[in-house]
Structures are given as C-alpha cells and as structure tokens.
C-alpha cells in the first residue's frame, strides 16, 4: 500500500470500517486497505501498527483502542483474546448475523454475477453457547502463558490440556472453562488433567513428537450419550489402564470409552486403530424420529440442533412429494440422505470416505429405511452417465461439497444429467458463487437461505435452490 511502505509504522486514530473475510476487520487509509485482526470491531477507533505491507493492502495489529464500537458485546469467556475458538465473542450476536448474511449476499452477487432472488433472513442459532457436540483437547508440555500468567509461570508449570494457540502447532492454551460444549466436557478435561499431573504422566511434546498423553476427544450427543477417546503416544499398558480406569470409575456419564495408541508424527487418527475400552462402541444422535449412530471416527454435524434446521430447509427446498428420485452428493455419513428418504421414492448417496458410507448404510438400517443406496468414491469418477443409467435419473440433486466447492467436471456432469431441481448446501459461499455461475448455463437461482451454525465465528452455511430453466 503506497503510503505505508514501512512495516512497524504506527497509524493513529484509525476508524475500523467494516468486517472483512476470515473474521478480520477492515480500515481504509489513503485509498488503501488495512486488514486488522484480533479484538477489534467496526466502529472502533484505534492505533494500528502496520505489518505485512503488500502492494494492494496491508495488515495491521491494534496497539491502542481509543473508543469502542456500539456493535460490541462483553466477551463471556476468560480465554477470549488468546484462544482461537470464538473470535467474535466481542461482537453482538445480531451484528454477527448481519455480517454473515451480508457476506453471503456479497459473494453471490460479486462472484456469481447471476440473477438472484431476494435473500431470506439468516436463520440464527437457538444456542449461542454450548452448541458443539465435539471437541478435541491437546495435551502439551509447552503451555502458553498469557501476559497475566507470566509471573506465575513456575507455579503453574509447563503442562497444558486445551487448544492450540492460533498458528502455533507447538503451544497449547490450558483451558479452564470452555463455552462451546456442554458438560461433562469441562469436568472431564479438568479432572483428567489434574489426575495426569498428580500421577506424573508425561504430556506430549509437539516439537520432538514424544510423550505419553496426546489428546482427548469428547463427544456429547443430544440423546445424553457421551463418548471419550484418549490418544496415547506410546503403548504403556499399565499407564493406559490407569488413565482409562480413572475415566471409567469417575465419569459414569461416559457411555462410550475408547483409546488409540498413536505413534505417528501427527495426531490425526482416521488411519489409527481405535480400542473400544468400555460402554457402547458408538453414541447416538437423534433427529426427528431418526437415530444416527456415531462411531469414534464418524463425522456428525457439530451443532446438532442447528443441523436439524439446515436439513429441514434443504428438504423443504427439495419439495419432495414421495415420488422423487434424489441424489445426495457428498453425503458424508448419509445424514441428509436418511433425513429426506421418507419423503422421497429413493435416495442415492455418494461420498469418498468408505467408512462414512458404511455408517450411512448402518444408519438407514437401524431406522428401517429401505429406499437408500450409498456409494463410496471420488465424485468426479463416480457421478457419470453410466451411474445415472444404473441408479435412475434424479429429479432432485442435493449437493453439500467441502469448502473448495464442486470440481468443475462434477458441475459439468450435473449439467449433462440436468435434474429439474438442485439444492446446494454450502459452508463457503465464495466457492458456491463460482459454482452457481457455472450452473447458470441451465439453472436459475430461486431461493437463498443463509444459516448460522457457528456463533462467535465467521463461518456461515448457505442453502440455495436452483431450478432448471424451461
Ligand atoms: C460438507 S461435508 C457434507 C456432509 C454431509 N452432507 C452432512 O451433512 O453430514 C462434505 C463431504 O464431502 C466429502 N468429499 C470431499 N471431497 C469429495 C470428493 N471429491 N468426492 C466425494 N466426496 C467428497 C467429505 O468427505 C465430506 O464428507
């Protein structure tokens, strides 16, 4: 940015003008833009230190705040500002919703450039705290100390169980209370940490990949089921038994207790063997009259009650009468497929994670749903004319791709298959907008419905109904 060439330059009394992408805010200086992150809100007046000065924009950090915006709310969490979890706690929820709606509006208008109807108001999340059903806490021997904790660092010790500091794989913020997941999540984490420290168990060292306790995954289902899973860095039978017996004996709420011995260089566990230690091998989530079985490696939407709202909108947009053949692309564990199955003639789900497809089949079976079929494979290889000839021509395609959106070849295939209706569920309205531009060749956008699944973050879901032009 031309007038702020030097990094470390301080600019005083800057008005923060708006929200920007990725949860940042934006200020305009002499025709250029500065992206500011952290505890800042549109309407604040601040002093900024410039860093990362690029040709077209710069990034800045707040040095001092002179006046606070009316869009602000008081953060409710003691870890706010350090933890990367709920970066927008300092923004009123109505303002968060307004921004999310606007972001979807801007993406769809600016990127897709297709004709768009009026947008529906965003659906707010009924729960703005304790809305997640899954959290992953990391053990570390490299605790992050906040400036206030620095003086007591010796007393507090270097072990931590909590969340990664943003952009620091090797530093963990010790969490005392997290407002994302209902209890017993906080209790289990805090008591397990205290027990592990009392027993002198070795917390993991992320820098050299060594140590005994790696991470703790807790899932709390709306049926009341609770799953806990501990990852250990090496097989020490006696100590593994000590930790697992502690959890079993002290937390009768845990209905599924599991562990993994993970000796790899990273703690992703999808390729690891899960040892089922006690209780059931899965937990159950309820939605309408359906039960979904969720295993230790299964994906399930993390805000379950808002997922129900999202799926109702999806089903409503699909306008099912009982006679439709539906394709559910990127079906995951088949949740949408099973959710719409009773209102459709049949549903075909496609997803590339083979284990997810196994879960999808089990979920149809336990709900006595007999009109679904599921296939595992990469969408661009699976979805083609032969597949359609074998499975029947779809009246409705529901698609819920990952953040990258659909591969162009998948969009081209959908255009050739030409279903009368497409319901496009997206967690990234920018890539969705790109895909809508491709689909515009044959499809008109009829409805747009943003949905907030993740309060206090910048993430937003969006459901779009497209109809084939006559
Ligand atoms: C946003 S999730 C959809 C989850 C599901 N609809 C639900 O509501 O639970 C996207 C899914 O697409 C799958 N996926 C990603 N890329 C894929 C590809 N190229 N082919 C098939 N499935 C893919 C992911 O594994 C993931 O399950």
């Amino acid at each position: 940015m031309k007038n702020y060439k030097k990094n470390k330059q301080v600019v005083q009394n800057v008005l923060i003008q708006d929200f920007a992408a990725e949860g940042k805010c934006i200020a305009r200086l002499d025709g250029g833009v500065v992206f500011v992150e952290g505890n800042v809100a549109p309407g604040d007046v601040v002093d900024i230190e410039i860093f990362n000065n690029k040709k077209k924009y710069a990034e800045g950090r707040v040095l001092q705040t002179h006046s606070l915006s009316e869009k602000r709310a008081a953060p409710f969490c003691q870890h706010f500002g350090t933890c990367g979890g709920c970066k927008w706690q300092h923004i009123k929820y109505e303002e968060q919703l307004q921004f999310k709606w606007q972001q979807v509006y801007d993406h769809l208008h600016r990127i897709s450039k297709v004709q768009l109807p009026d947008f529906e108001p965003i659906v707010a999340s009924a729960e703005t705290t304790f809305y997640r059903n899954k959290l992953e806490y990391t053990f570390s021997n490299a605790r992050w100390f906040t400036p206030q904790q620095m003086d007591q660092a010796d007393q507090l010790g270097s072990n931590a169980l909590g969340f990664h500091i943003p952009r620091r794989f090797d530093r963990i913020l010790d969490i005392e209370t997290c407002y994302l997941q209902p209890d017993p999540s906080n209790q289990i984490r805090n008591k397990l940490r205290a027990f592990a420290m009392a027993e002198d168990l070795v917390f993991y060292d992320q820098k050299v990949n060594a140590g005994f306790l790696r991470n703790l995954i807790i899932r709390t289902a709306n049926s009341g089921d609770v799953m806990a899973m501990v990852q250990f860095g090496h097989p020490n039978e006696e100590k593994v038994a000590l930790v697992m017996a502690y959890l079993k004996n002290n937390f009768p709420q845990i209905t599924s207790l599991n562990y993994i011995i993970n000796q790899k260089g990273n703690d992703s566990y999808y390729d690891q063997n899960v040892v089922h230690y006690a209780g059931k091998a899965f937990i159950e989530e309820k939605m309408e009259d359906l039960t979904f079985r969720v295993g230790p490696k299964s994906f399930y939407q993390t805000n379950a009650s808002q997922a129900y709202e999202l799926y109702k909108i999806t089903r409503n947009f699909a306008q099912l009468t009982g006679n439709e053949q539906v394709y559910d692309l990127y079906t995951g564990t088949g949740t949408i497929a099973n959710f719409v199955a009773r209102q459709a003639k049949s549903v075909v789900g496609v997803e590339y994670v083979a284990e997810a497809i196994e879960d999808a089949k089990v979920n149809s079976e336990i709900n006595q749903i007999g009109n679904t079929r599921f296939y595992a494979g990469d969408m661009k290889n699976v979805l083609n004319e032969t597949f359609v000839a074998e499975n029947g021509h779809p009246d409705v395609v529901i698609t819920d791709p990952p953040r990258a959106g659909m591969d162009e070849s998948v969009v081209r295939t959908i255009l050739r298959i030409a279903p009368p209706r497409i319901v496009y569920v997206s967690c990234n309205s920018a890539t969705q907008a790109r895909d809508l531009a491709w689909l515009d060749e044959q499809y008109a956008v009829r409805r747009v419905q943003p949905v907030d699944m993740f309060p206090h973050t910048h993430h937003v879901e969006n459901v779009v109904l497209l109809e084939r032009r006559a």
Side-chain angles (χ1 to χ4, degrees):
M1 217 174 61
K2 64 174 189 276
N3 292 328
Y4 296 96
K5 283 264 182 263
K6 279 185 265 147
N7 281 339
K8 298 232 167 205
Q9 178 167 350
V10 174
V11 195
Q12 288 176 322
N13 291 308
V14 177
L15 172 67
I16 301 294
Q17 276 163 333
D18 207 344
F19 292 107
E22 301 298 315
K24 293 178 185 163
C25 283
I26 194 169
R28 290 189 175 78
L29 298 176
D30 295 333
V33 294
V34 182
F35 293 104
V36 189
E37 60 183 353
N39 187 350
V40 64
D44 284 356
V45 176
V46 295
D47 292 348
I48 294 173
E49 183 185 50
I50 301 289
F51 70 99
N52 198 17
N53 200 343
K54 304 258 191 209
K55 248 190 188 157
K56 294 195 173 148
Y57 69 91
E59 289 183 86
R61 61 174 72 89
V62 175
L63 289 184
Q64 200 182 341
T65 304
H66 296 293
S67 67
L68 293 176
S69 161
E70 285 184 353
K71 294 184 179 358
R72 278 179 171 266
F76 46 82
C77 175
Q78 72 194 89
H79 304 296
F80 173 76
T82 317
C83 175
C86 312
K87 287 189 175 160
W88 273 4
Q89 270 182 37
H90 64 304
I91 311 284
K92 287 178 183 157
Y93 187 50
E94 315 85 77
E95 298 291 344
Q96 297 179 23
L97 291 172
Q98 172 56 32
F99 171 70
K100 292 184 190 200
W101 184 92
Q102 190 65 46
Q103 189 179 53
V104 172
Y105 184 92
D106 291 348
H107 279 157
L108 264 52
H109 280 86
R110 286 184 197 150
I111 302 172
S112 82
K113 298 196 167 64
V114 305
Q115 198 164 359
L116 294 163
D118 287 344
F119 288 23
E120 311 286 339
I122 188 167
V123 178
S125 176
E127 293 149 4
T128 56
T129 51
F130 304 114
Y131 60 80
R132 281 186 70 101
N133 56 21
K134 183 181 177 197
L135 281 182
E136 202 163 322
Y137 302 112
T138 303
F139 289 93
S140 170
N141 68 356
R143 177 175 175 156
W144 178 267
F145 294 106
T146 61
Q148 297 81 347
Q149 290 169 336
M150 281 298 188
D151 290 349
Q152 317 150 49
D154 285 347
Q155 213 177 311
L156 293 169
S158 59
N159 284 337
L161 176 56
F163 299 128
H164 285 271
I165 290 289
R167 295 185 285 271
R168 291 294 301 264
F169 81 98
D170 58 334
R171 301 303 295 272
I172 298 296
L173 180 68
D174 199 58
I175 297 292
E176 199 172 299
T177 307
C178 175
Y179 290 86
L180 279 172
Q181 188 178 31
D183 262 330
S185 183
N186 280 307
Q187 293 168 28
I188 297 174
R189 185 201 56 247
N190 288 349
K191 287 196 170 168
L192 180 60
R193 175 181 44 227
F195 176 73
M197 294 199 350
E199 293 292 332
D200 267 337
L201 300 177
V202 180
F203 285 38
Y204 210 72
D205 184 329
Q206 277 76 15
K207 272 200 169 142
V208 297
N209 265 315
F212 180 58
L213 290 166
R214 282 194 91 156
N215 80 8
L216 166 69
I217 295 146
I218 299 176
R219 297 180 97 146
T220 43
N222 62 6
S223 62
D225 284 351
V226 177
M227 177 182 283
M229 183 159 77
V230 183
Q231 281 203 65
F232 299 101
H234 53 82
N236 178 327
E237 273 181 38
E238 193 188 323
K239 287 186 174 160
V240 167
L242 183 73
V243 171
M244 299 315 288
Y246 174 78
L247 288 173
K248 183 166 184 271
N249 298 335
N250 288 276
F251 292 98
Q253 308 97 309
I254 298 177
T255 54
S256 174
L257 189 51
N258 310 275
Y259 69 88
I260 290 173
I261 310 286
N262 179 354
Q263 301 187 77
K264 283 191 309 177
N266 63 60
D267 59 12
S268 83
Y269 54 86
Y270 290 94
D271 55 351
Q272 300 289 295
N273 180 37
V274 176
V275 183
H276 173 223
Y277 179 81
K280 294 185 291 184
F282 52 83
I283 52 173
E284 288 180 345
E285 286 280 356
K286 305 277 182 192
M287 194 181 276
E288 254 170 22
D289 54 347
L290 300 174
T291 298
F292 292 111
R293 207 172 263 192
V294 182
K297 292 186 188 175
S298 308
F299 172 82
Y300 193 80
Q301 291 275 354
T302 44
N303 180 346
S305 49
Q306 197 64 349
Y308 180 40
E309 300 306 317
L310 184 78
Y311 292 171
K312 279 192 288 189
I313 292 160
T314 304
R315 188 173 59 190
N316 181 22
F317 279 14
Q319 301 161 57
L320 303 176
T321 62
N323 297 319
E324 292 78 14
Q325 158 92 332
V326 179
Y327 280 13
D328 179 27
L329 308 183
Y330 309 91
T331 192
T333 47
T335 337
I336 295 180
N338 283 307
F339 186 75
V340 303
R342 292 201 176 120
Q343 274 91 348
K345 188 169 83 192
S346 61
V347 187
V348 176
V350 182
E351 156 68 42
Y352 72 10
V353 177
E355 292 87 349
I357 287 297
E358 290 315 307
D359 286 342
K361 290 178 183 166
V362 169
N363 284 326
S364 285
E365 212 176 291
I366 61 172
N367 289 292
Q368 282 100 42
I369 293 172
N371 61 344
T372 53
R373 268 165 295 157
F374 293 100
Y375 297 94
D378 193 324
M379 198 62 64
K380 57 181 183 301
N381 305 328
V382 174
L383 187 70
N384 55 34
E385 280 76 0
T386 318
F387 183 84
V388 172
E390 283 166 4
N391 286 283
H393 191 268
D395 301 297
V396 182
V397 164
I398 297 171
T399 183
D400 183 7
R403 288 189 68 73
M406 290 193 277
D407 196 276
E408 188 174 356
S409 68
V410 174
V411 178
R412 296 275 152 227
T413 309
I414 295 175
L415 285 166
R416 283 199 307 279
I417 298 170
R421 275 192 295 291
I422 300 171
V423 182
Y424 190 149
V425 184
S426 167
C427 55
N428 181 350
S429 51
T431 56
Q432 183 182 40
R434 177 205 62 203
D435 296 355
L436 295 184
W438 288 333
L439 288 165
D440 188 54
E441 236 174 82
Q442 284 178 49
Y443 287 87
V445 175
R446 299 292 184 213
R447 296 185 72 178
V448 180
Q449 175 66 79
V451 179
D452 184 30
M453 307 279 288
F454 303 109
H456 314 305
T457 75
H458 62 274
H459 296 288
V460 56
E461 294 273 325
N462 189 41
V463 191
V464 168
L465 167 64
L466 299 116
E467 285 175 353
R468 201 177 65 212
R469 293 196 189 88

